[in-house]
Amino acid sequence: FGSCVYRSRSVQYSSQLRSSTTLTMSTEQPSAAACVPGGKCVPCESLDKSHLLSPQQVESELASMQLWKLSDDNTNITRTYTARNFQAAMDSLNAIGVIAERENHHPDMHLTGYRNVEIVLFTHSLGGISLNDITMAKMIDDEVRFSYSPKWLRENPAAKKD
Ligand SMILES: C[C@H](O)[C@H](O)[C@H]1CNC2=NC(N)=NC(=O)C2=N1
């Protein structure tokens, strides 16, 4: 997933003595990179308005992602679920957080009523939806092992993973 090309190493030179320069290699945190389908990543900063998806484009992407909905104002995609319990909700948020940090593309996450979760994805730098958000949604669906409320799962069979 998202084999992002990170600007991996920053080289800091600090000359301690005039006669020698200490070369300290430090590996930066993975740089700003957001992923688009196909595992290619583009740095967040390289996105511009041309990367915004139209509502039609979003809807066609979401046709195969039934757990996600396009917001009424077309500015984000959301996924809501009820976890089995508070810990399961927290575990899912933390798992999503790992993906978000890895991809440097972060959802808004809301936990209410101790186990009702809403995940909201949009590209902050554009104020709308880009392919990065679609990719993140797919990664969340594919990689996170959710523990749902059995009642919720019965009511949302699309969430069932075989
Ligand atoms: C500097 C940093 O890479 C950027 O702010 C990243 C961080 N995470 C992000 N997450 C989201 N959803 N949208 C962004 O534009 C974004 N940009």
Side-chain angles (χ1 to χ4, degrees):
F1 289 111
S3 52
C4 286
V5 177
Y6 293 129
R7 272 175 253 114
S8 60
R9 287 186 178 283
S10 79
V11 175
Q12 278 143 6
Y13 294 87
S14 60
S15 66
Q16 284 165 342
L17 298 169
R18 213 195 334 268
S19 59
S20 73
T21 297
T22 308
L23 177 64
T24 53
M25 297 290 282
S26 77
T27 307
E28 271 180 340
Q29 287 302 318
S31 67
C35 286
V36 294
K40 291 186 188 57
C41 300
V42 293
C44 295
E45 303 80 49
S46 69
L47 297 177
D48 61 41
K49 291 292 183 197
S50 70
H51 292 96
L52 280 174
L53 298 180
S54 69
Q56 295 72 20
Q57 286 172 315
V58 175
E59 290 293 9
S60 76
E61 292 287 346
L62 296 188
S64 60
M65 303 163 67
Q66 296 157 8
L67 299 173
W68 294 85
K69 302 280 178 276
L70 174 59
S71 63
D72 293 343
D73 64 1
N74 296 319
T75 59
N76 63 73
I77 57 173
T78 65
R79 176 176 171 186
T80 58
Y81 56 93
T82 300
R84 178 179 292 276
N85 53 43
F86 178 74
Q87 189 59 59
M90 290 304 299
D91 291 345
S92 69
L93 295 176
N94 282 311
I96 293 167
V98 169
I99 300 168
E101 279 297 282
R102 182 189 74 203
E103 305 299 335
N104 196 43
H105 199 73
H106 304 85
D108 293 350
M109 303 196 277
H110 307 272
L111 170 57
T112 52
Y114 84 92
R115 63 180 186 153
N116 301 307
V117 180
E118 180 182 41
I119 309 295
V120 183
L121 274 166
F122 68 101
T123 300
H124 307 155
S125 53
L126 300 182
I129 303 165
S130 72
L131 276 178
N132 299 333
D133 301 299
I134 303 296
T135 301
M136 273 301 295
K138 285 179 178 159
M139 288 177 175
I140 289 168
D141 289 353
D142 293 347
E143 296 181 36
V144 177
R145 280 199 302 280
F146 293 93
S147 176
Y148 298 114
S149 132
K151 177 175 181 296
W152 184 88
L153 193 52
R154 282 196 301 277
E155 293 162 355
N156 297 272
K160 214 166 182 53
K161 275 186 177 171
D162 34 26

